Amino acid sequence: MAAGTAAALLAALGGILWLAARRFVGSSVQRLHQGGDSGLMRGKTVLITGANSGLGRATAAELLRLGARVIMGCRDRERAEEAAGQLRREVWPTGGPDSGPTSGGAGELVVKELDLSSLSSVRSFCQEMLQEEPRLDVLINNAGVFQCPYMKTEDGFEMQFGVNHLGHFLLTNLLLGLLKSSAPSRIVVVSSKLYKYGDINFEDLNSEQSYNKSFCYSRSKLANILFTRELARRLEGTSVTVNVLHPGIVQTNLGRHIHIPLLLRPLFNLVSWAFFKTPEEGAQTAVYLASSPEVEGVSGKYFGDCKEEELLPKAMDESVARKLWDISEVMVGILK
Ligand SMILES: NC(=O)c1ccc[n+]([C@@H]2O[C@H](COP(=O)([O-])OP(=O)(O)OC[C@H]3O[C@@H](n4cnc5c(N)ncnc54)[C@H](OP(=O)(O)O)[C@@H]3O)[C@@H](O)[C@H]2O)c1
């Protein structure tokens, strides 16, 4: 009996050590810029949607460290100002370069209100951007909703399709002129490997006939990829590039709509601590696509862990991409 208990304890200890080693030693994700490129983004303005939490927040921190002026496009001003305060303390523990008169705009952090579930909010956000910002070098379409219960946006679209695809579709289209006049400029789209389980079912884009929250998330992430590829085609010859990425599985607030029974939460937390990426690790591909000279001029590609990856044929279907673009134009009301 005593030998059995000792064996069980040893096995548990071994398991914990293995998990800890995997977490701290085995991470395959290296930070791109280890302090050596601190001026790489100086003079560049970056807009990140959903920058108050998770991947968006971590991406903002990295790009601030590289000297960018970062605009956080967030739906809740209070949450965004709180995150901005924390970011400033993290990035500049002794007071920010944006607080001094000699900063020249380097490393500045700005909060603007943007609710992607409201077309009128997207429109007024873009109006403010065009009035106040002389340039936009990088747009990072990061904000996202994951597997929420059936909900509609202010304009009557299914929430995941509405926020993850349509809100960003309108945002990007309204900011394209500014991106073009700031060229060379970049657009970075955050998708997910779960796109593989989605399809663009044109006959029920608002899921009024049936709603499956996993399918709808995957569909919205497939739409992100099709949008990227169609936009890259339309932007050929403009010096504005657009690429899409999957960040891996990352410990963020994305699972807020997923109910995990109380008793299983410690196990879930242990597993996610051991196996999921940290937000900083998950943000590396977005930071890479936004800042690295290696991807200057690269467009229409899909990346994971800072490397180009292959897509399934359904994500490369040009006729579906064009049809989705045309229908999206009608849905958001920008058809000329
Ligand atoms: N975490 C992962 O494992 C994972 C894997 C694959 C892909 N992704 C993708 O990564 C992106 C970032 O997600 P995350 O993991 O960092 O999750 P997160 O921590 O939940 O961050 C999502 C961000 O999106 C914002 N957002 C949600 N609805 C919005 C709306 N209507 N208007 C404006 N902003 C809105 C959230 O704002 P509030 O804080 O105000 O809600 C939050 O800032 C998403 O596109 C997600 O699909 C994540």
Side-chain angles (χ1 to χ4, degrees):
M1 182 69 178
T5 311
L9 279 174
L10 269 177
L13 187 65
I16 289 168
L17 285 175
W18 178 76
L19 288 177
R22 194 188 145 82
R23 188 74 200 86
F24 294 117
V25 185
S27 168
S28 61
V29 189
Q30 298 290 319
R31 261 186 76 193
L32 268 178
H33 305 287
Q34 304 277 9
D37 301 316
S38 56
L40 187 65
M41 293 298 283
R42 197 173 297 273
K44 307 235 184 236
T45 299
V46 181
L47 164 61
I48 308 175
T49 65
N52 62 293
S53 171
L55 288 161
R57 186 187 181 288
T59 306
E62 290 289 277
L63 292 172
L64 279 173
R65 286 190 187 98
L66 296 176
R69 168 179 159 80
V70 174
I71 300 169
M72 304 169 68
C74 299
R75 65 173 157 175
D76 184 299
R77 182 165 282 278
E78 212 174 301
R79 276 202 293 273
E81 293 289 1
E82 199 185 321
Q86 288 166 0
L87 276 170
R88 287 190 186 101
R89 287 191 290 279
E90 252 171 64
V91 177
W92 306 294
T94 54
D98 64 336
S99 59
T102 56
S103 70
E108 194 180 352
L109 190 57
V110 177
V111 170
K112 289 190 195 284
E113 264 179 61
L114 167 66
D115 183 351
L116 290 154
S117 70
S118 155
L119 296 181
S120 72
S121 167
V122 175
R123 284 184 186 283
S124 30
F125 172 85
C126 291
Q127 209 171 5
E128 192 184 323
M129 282 289 295
L130 298 179
Q131 272 164 8
E132 293 178 3
E133 299 296 328
R135 58 184 305 111
L136 178 60
D137 299 276
V138 184
L139 164 64
I140 306 184
N141 288 343
N142 161 81
V145 197
F146 176 72
Q147 298 194 7
C148 53
Y150 189 68
M151 287 187 244
K152 284 191 167 177
T153 67
E154 189 178 286
D155 308 278
F157 309 134
E158 183 280 313
M159 186 62 74
Q160 298 186 79
F161 191 70
V163 170
N164 301 356
H165 170 61
L166 289 172
H168 283 120
F169 178 86
L170 179 61
L171 178 80
T172 309
N173 271 286
L174 295 181
L175 294 178
L176 262 188
L178 188 56
L179 284 156
K180 282 182 185 165
S181 65
S182 315
S185 52
R186 303 179 181 193
I187 302 167
V188 177
V189 178
V190 182
S191 179
S192 162
K193 266 193 174 167
L194 293 176
Y195 85 85
K196 293 177 181 176
Y197 305 102
D199 273 307
I200 309 296
N201 55 337
F202 287 107
E203 70 292 346
D204 191 22
L205 286 177
N206 283 323
S207 307
E208 277 156 349
Q209 290 160 24
S210 72
Y211 181 65
N212 176 314
K213 60 185 183 175
S214 314
F215 169 82
C216 285
Y217 178 72
S218 295
R219 177 180 65 179
S220 73
K221 293 287 133 179
L222 173 61
N224 289 159
I225 299 174
L226 292 164
F227 162 73
T228 300
R229 291 181 57 82
E230 175 62 13
L231 182 57
R233 195 185 66 74
R234 288 169 183 250
L235 286 174
E236 270 169 28
T238 62
S239 297
V240 183
T241 60
V242 53
N243 290 291
V244 60
L245 67 100
H246 76 80
I249 305 177
V250 191
Q251 268 183 299
T252 66
N253 294 319
L254 193 67
R256 68 193 77 191
H257 295 291
I258 306 295
H259 173 70
I260 298 170
L262 202 61
L263 283 175
L264 289 180
R265 276 185 209 166
L267 180 64
F268 176 80
N269 290 340
L270 180 67
V271 169
S272 53
W273 172 77
F275 295 106
F276 291 12
K277 289 178 182 174
T278 62
E280 188 184 72
E281 289 169 343
Q284 294 306 308
T285 308
V287 174
Y288 174 72
L289 290 174
S291 65
S292 173
E294 277 176 32
V295 282
E296 187 79 60
V298 175
S299 196
K301 305 291 185 200
Y302 173 65
F303 287 80
D305 285 342
C306 303
K307 287 193 272 303
E308 193 187 328
E309 291 190 5
E310 292 213 342
L311 284 165
L312 292 182
K314 69 173 159 187
M316 296 191 292
D317 188 323
E318 286 183 15
S319 63
V320 174
R322 279 176 208 214
K323 189 170 170 187
L324 177 65
W325 186 282
D326 291 345
I327 289 179
S328 302
E329 278 187 333
V330 175
M331 290 176 94
V332 303
I334 54 171
L335 191 66
K336 289 171 197 93

